Amino acid sequence: MRQLPFAASRRLTGFLATLGLAFTLLPTPGMAQTTASSATPTSARANQPALLAPWAGGHGGVPAFDKVKVADFKPALEAAMAENLAEINAIANNPAAPTFENTIAAMERSGQTLTRVSAIYDIWSGTLNDAAFSAVETEMAPKLAAFSDQITQNAALFKRIEAVYNAPATKKLTPEQQRLVEVDYKQFVRAGAKLNATAKARVSAINQQLAGLFTNFSQNVLADEADSVLVLKTDKDLGGLPVSLRDAAKTTAGTRKIAAVGVITNTRSSIDPFLTYSDQRGLREKAWRMFTNRGDNGGAHDNNALITQILQLRAERAKLLGYATHAHLRLDNTMAKTPEAAMQLMEQVWKPAVAREHEEVADMLALAKKEGAPANFKIEPWDYRYYAEKVRKARYDLDQNEVKQYLQLDKMREGMFWVAGELFNFAFVPVTDVPVYHPDVKVWQVNDKTTGKQIGLWYFDPYARPGKNSGAWMNAYRNQERMDGKAVTTIVSNNSNFVKGTPGEPVLISWTDATTLFHEFGHALHGLSSNVTYPTLSGTNVVRDYVEFPSQLLENWLATPEVLNKFALHYQTGQPIPAALVARIDKASSFNEGFATTEFLASALIDMKLHLAGGQKIDPDKFERETLASLGMPSELVMRHRTPQFSHVFSSDGYSAGYYSYLWSVVLAADAFSAFTEAGGPYDKAVAARLRKNVFTVGNTVDPAAGYRAFRGRDPKIDALMKQRGFPMAEAKAGGKPGPGKPADVPPRMPVQHK
């Protein structure tokens, strides 16, 4: 998942990010090396926070994390916003006739101070969110939303943008410049630039209220994750757990100063392994309920009332902006184009996924009864992973814990670097000359293997800790650009929540975690590969249901023999993973896809249906329960992200009515990987070159559908996905011949997050 910035930035996409209305996906602040023209003289800044200073040092400048003080965020943000507004007003009130250079390019150059401050503010929000920072975030969220509106609702500024958009001279600009003009114009229109004064004021009020609600939602989930743990009191409570998980639980107990044999934290990285291996059914149920009830426990941290308000405000805003529902607003500028097209894809896959899930449950019940379970035994949600693992072992002679012994976190990271070298010609060199915001964070310089030229920096923050969002995601601290002849390199990060084990021992991760690691690294490579002029169009700043495509695609390289033979090494013997074990992994590759696909689709369908419901007052728990029942949701599992903790959808507008995009993107990814397998294999040089040229380097400078066709030679098909997941194609084609906008020929338009 690409992480959504919480604040606006100097880039147009950043201005709209708080609203979730930007054309590009998860627009991360892009940063230039030079200082923006400032309305505040340098001498007047002498006593202002270090956060306002241009980034100094090597590598084109880096964030001064060692000088950050939480108390400085508010004054720094306020000063940077004031400076940026002065720059915008200067552009809007320029007496010269509007041109690309004095309007569109000038906007690209503005707001550099705010961009730098916002980047660091977003890092603290996602990774170091303590009580002091939460107080600042609560106060600043509405102010940042109001700031964005002051730009998008600036009538004089929009008049100039519109003039450039309609000018005959614009057709003589470069294709990238024409694309930037179009993106800017349409973003302002979708944010309400053409509304009357009364409607603009109401939209702005809604945006500010939503910003506060989003912050409250996130803080409630974070509080439930931080405050709730499962304490393992006796050795019996450790029953079934592998050594690595026991060690991690013991370490966590020590870190949290809890007198117990172990502690399981309330995050997916801790809960999922516990549910998979613990033979204590009562404790599994406690762990499952603790995790699935985040934000849904009543009291101060309950999110249900917030969700009701968020949905009503979104519906009202969509109406003001001229859209039937929030879902129609959000999908207007995506590959899917309409909620109906996204729903069609999900419904195509839902029935075969549920049918497969029923088969999986039947297998589990048979095994459970064989082991002595009573005749009326029922697989409950807290049993699913436990019995699925037993079936996997019985059917494929595949024990996830056996696989895990070959998946060392550091070795998997080296494997990712090697893949990046083969496909993208990148080399990763560790550096220690840059400050970091936490001792766990490590940094690598990324170079072109052939020329040695620096491409950017990659920060890696792998471990869970209090105050850090759960899951996994990618951020860009600085976007690549080359405006005004100045080559600016990017700075990107990957963030995970692995649990530390015994000091000095390697951290062992599951196959699923390794897949997620490659997924997020795919986002990083997308950002690192960027080769465009304008930062608004740079890197991962592409439409919602396209941005997950490069990351979903990179997951496929984990299972290649080249990676497994070189980097899947036993943590004790150093021996590579045996070929027989790899064969069993491959044979079981579509195992449990019914569960995985159904839990994802349940979340995606609830997300879309919530936002297609319009302005009705919704009780989230009731809506979730009744909608899942109408869909025929299996009772043995729950949504991957239940509504009260669905941060993708309710901590910002980021993935709202857009969680389907993971499925849309994986259709592209499965089809794209087929291009490699149909050619010379996963490392085919010619296919990799086409992929880099048409997907990874171009950012949002070309229409994504056109870029995909240039790579693949045709529109994508759903066939590869259905084959990959072991689902029958007959179900997928039941809707008849696909037409424009339908997923089997994905048209002109599942983090993160984390998925």
Side-chain angles (χ1 to χ4, degrees):
M1 169 186 173
R2 283 283 291 103
Q3 181 81 344
L4 179 69
F6 294 90
S9 79
R10 75 182 175 99
R11 307 310 183 199
L12 177 62
T13 51
F15 298 150
L16 303 178
T18 306
L19 316 185
L21 293 176
F23 178 84
T24 58
L25 176 87
L26 302 177
T28 303
M31 303 163 200
Q33 315 275 340
T34 56
T35 307
S37 59
S38 173
T40 307
T42 304
S43 58
R45 288 192 186 172
N47 297 319
Q48 290 183 334
L51 281 167
L52 293 170
W55 293 353
H59 313 285
V62 294
F65 291 127
D66 54 333
K67 298 180 180 178
V68 173
K69 299 177 182 177
V70 171
D72 288 343
F73 276 120
K74 178 184 174 181
L77 285 167
E78 290 175 338
M81 284 190 287
E83 175 183 297
N84 196 182
L85 286 176
E87 295 168 337
I88 291 297
N89 287 332
I91 296 169
N93 299 320
N94 188 343
T99 65
F100 176 86
E101 185 61 28
N102 69 19
T103 302
I104 305 300
M107 289 171 58
E108 291 290 290
R109 297 185 185 98
S110 70
Q112 295 183 31
T113 303
L114 180 58
T115 296
R116 294 191 300 270
V117 178
S118 297
I120 299 174
Y121 176 78
D122 295 338
I123 293 167
W124 253 249
S125 177
T127 66
L128 297 167
N129 201 322
D130 58 12
F133 183 86
S134 292
V136 175
E137 191 176 37
T138 299
E139 180 180 359
M140 293 307 298
K143 293 182 178 181
L144 289 164
F147 162 78
S148 293
D149 292 331
Q150 285 182 273
I151 294 173
T152 58
Q153 296 185 6
N154 186 315
L157 178 64
F158 177 66
K159 186 176 180 180
R160 294 182 68 86
I161 295 170
E162 189 174 38
V164 176
Y165 178 73
N166 291 322
T170 297
K171 295 181 180 179
K172 298 179 182 179
L173 298 173
T174 68
E176 184 176 344
Q177 290 172 332
Q178 292 182 56
R179 178 76 171 176
L180 180 59
V181 173
E182 178 186 18
V183 166
D184 283 4
Y185 172 76
K186 290 183 177 180
Q187 286 178 333
F188 268 73
V189 171
R190 293 182 73 251
K194 288 190 171 184
L195 298 179
N196 61 39
T198 302
K200 282 183 177 179
R202 181 54 188 156
V203 167
S204 183
I206 289 172
N207 290 336
Q208 292 175 56
Q209 191 174 351
L210 281 172
L213 294 171
F214 295 157
T215 300
N216 291 343
F217 183 96
S218 297
Q219 291 178 352
N220 285 343
V221 174
L222 194 63
D224 274 358
E225 291 178 347
D227 297 345
S228 300
V229 296
L230 178 68
V231 178
L232 307 179
K233 300 177 181 179
T234 67
D235 288 342
K236 183 180 178 182
D237 293 347
L238 298 171
L241 303 184
V243 173
S244 60
L245 190 54
R246 290 181 181 220
D247 289 344
K250 182 179 179 180
T251 298
T252 302
T255 301
R256 297 209 172 205
K257 297 180 171 57
I258 297 175
V261 297
V263 166
I264 302 298
T265 57
N266 199 16
T267 61
R268 191 177 299 278
S269 57
S270 291
I271 295 295
D272 281 0
F274 185 80
L275 294 177
T276 301
Y277 295 110
S278 174
D279 59 18
Q280 299 298 298
R281 195 180 191 215
L283 289 178
R284 289 204 307 270
E285 181 179 356
K286 285 184 179 180
W288 180 86
R289 292 192 183 281
M290 178 177 73
F291 186 68
T292 58
N293 287 335
R294 290 168 298 147
D296 196 23
N297 292 305
H301 300 313
D302 193 277
N303 274 330
N304 285 285
L306 297 181
I307 292 169
T308 301
Q309 295 178 67
I310 289 170
L311 290 171
Q312 289 188 293
L313 289 168
R314 282 173 170 165
E316 181 186 354
R317 183 178 62 188
K319 288 286 189 183
L320 287 168
L321 293 170
Y323 293 87
T325 69
H326 179 73
H328 289 86
L329 166 64
R330 293 293 291 149
L331 272 75
D332 179 56
N333 65 339
T334 62
M335 288 188 76
K337 298 296 186 188
T338 67
E340 292 75 20
M343 286 293 294
Q344 186 202 27
L345 172 60
M346 291 189 282
E347 289 167 353
Q348 281 184 322
V349 181
W350 175 257
K351 286 185 178 180
V354 171
R356 175 59 54 80
E357 189 275 348
H358 290 329
E359 295 173 2
E360 293 167 0
V361 170
D363 291 339
M364 294 178 199
L365 280 172
L367 185 145
K369 291 176 181 178
K370 186 178 179 181
E371 291 185 342
N376 63 347
F377 182 78
K378 182 181 183 302
I379 299 293
E380 299 288 356
W382 48 88
D383 297 320
Y384 206 110
R385 295 179 186 277
Y386 179 73
Y387 282 103
E389 183 61 19
K390 284 177 170 285
V391 172
R392 187 199 315 268
K393 188 172 182 180
R395 177 173 296 176
Y396 300 103
D397 190 24
L398 184 62
D399 183 344
Q400 289 272 60
N401 193 45
E402 179 186 4
V403 176
K404 196 173 183 179
Q405 296 179 62
Y406 292 91
L407 303 180
Q408 302 174 58
L409 175 59
D410 287 348
K411 293 296 182 183
M412 288 296 98
R413 188 199 66 234
E414 291 174 14
M416 297 190 314
F417 290 171
W418 183 83
V419 170
E422 293 298 301
L423 297 179
F424 298 89
N425 204 41
F426 289 162
F428 288 73
V429 181
V431 295
T432 57
D433 60 343
V434 300
V436 293
Y437 56 85
H438 190 277
D440 287 344
V441 179
K442 306 300 179 187
V443 188
W444 283 259
Q445 179 176 310
V446 187
N447 300 327
D448 183 285
K449 283 171 61 178
T450 303
T451 65
K453 179 181 177 182
Q454 180 169 338
I455 302 297
L457 290 177
W458 183 72
Y459 287 60
F460 188 39
D461 183 1
Y463 301 119
R465 59 177 171 271
K468 184 178 181 181
N469 290 340
S470 60
W473 65 92
M474 172 266 190
N475 269 106
Y477 303 164
R478 177 173 68 209
N479 279 340
Q480 175 272 331
E481 62 173 277
R482 53 169 184 271
M483 281 191 70
D484 305 321
K486 298 174 182 176
V488 176
T489 57
T490 189
I491 301 176
V492 301
S493 74
N494 280 148
N495 309 268
S496 303
N497 271 275
F498 298 111
V499 180
K500 285 184 177 179
T502 303
E505 292 292 324
V507 175
L508 304 181
I509 64 177
S510 69
W511 184 265
T512 299
D513 284 338
T515 302
T516 300
L517 199 64
F518 271 69
H519 174 101
E520 298 304 335
F521 192 60
H523 284 308
L525 292 176
H526 193 184
L528 287 164
S529 300
S530 180
N531 186 20
V532 306
T533 301
Y534 300 100
T536 288
L537 306 178
S538 179
T540 56
N541 291 336
V542 297
V543 292
R544 175 76 51 194
D545 46 12
Y546 194 70
V547 79
E548 296 294 339
F549 159 45
S551 54
Q552 298 276 12
L553 177 60
L554 200 79
E555 293 179 14
N556 291 281
W557 273 267
L558 167 62
T560 59
E562 292 85 349
V563 169
L564 296 179
N565 291 336
K566 293 175 182 288
F567 303 102
L569 308 179
H570 195 279
Y571 78 105
Q572 291 176 323
T573 68
Q575 293 298 307
I577 189 168
L581 180 54
V582 174
R584 299 203 302 273
I585 293 172
D586 182 62
K587 188 177 180 181
S589 61
S590 63
F591 175 75
N592 216 31
E593 278 295 350
F595 168 83
T597 306
T598 301
E599 70 159 5
F600 160 77
L601 278 176
S603 292
L605 286 163
I606 288 288
D607 168 37
M608 190 64 73
K609 287 176 179 290
L610 280 169
H611 292 102
L612 284 171
Q616 63 180 281
K617 189 172 183 179
I618 288 175
D619 176 336
D621 276 344
K622 181 181 178 183
F623 186 94
E624 176 185 303
R625 184 171 59 253
E626 293 180 351
T627 302
L628 292 177
S630 69
L631 288 169
M633 177 73 169
S635 63
E636 300 87 4
L637 71 163
V638 294
M639 302 160 58
R640 181 165 180 81
H641 304 285
R642 284 199 58 237
T643 313
Q645 68 230 205
F646 206 166
S647 294
H648 289 76
V649 174
F650 295 111
S651 66
S652 73
D653 278 328
Y655 276 83
S656 59
Y659 194 63
Y660 79 92
S661 61
Y662 283 101
L663 181 63
W664 195 278
S665 296
V666 83
V667 169
L668 303 180
D671 186 71
F673 191 65
S674 296
F676 283 90
T677 57
E678 291 165 7
Y683 298 93
D684 185 273
K685 297 297 183 183
V687 179
R690 291 204 314 271
L691 183 69
R692 292 195 304 271
K693 178 182 178 182
N694 297 298
V695 176
F696 277 79
T697 66
V698 297
N700 193 24
T701 61
V702 300
D703 177 82
Y708 188 88
R709 282 193 292 270
F711 158 66
R712 193 68 171 98
R714 58 164 174 76
D715 288 333
K717 300 177 181 178
I718 197 174
D719 304 51
L721 171 67
M722 301 301 281
K723 181 180 179 181
Q724 203 176 68
R725 300 200 172 186
F727 296 162
M729 282 303 302
E731 290 285 355
K733 295 179 178 178
K737 184 178 179 180
K742 294 185 179 180
D745 94 311
V746 181
R749 162 137 151 118
M750 107 164 103
V752 232
Q753 242 309 245
H754 47 285
K755 294 188 287 182

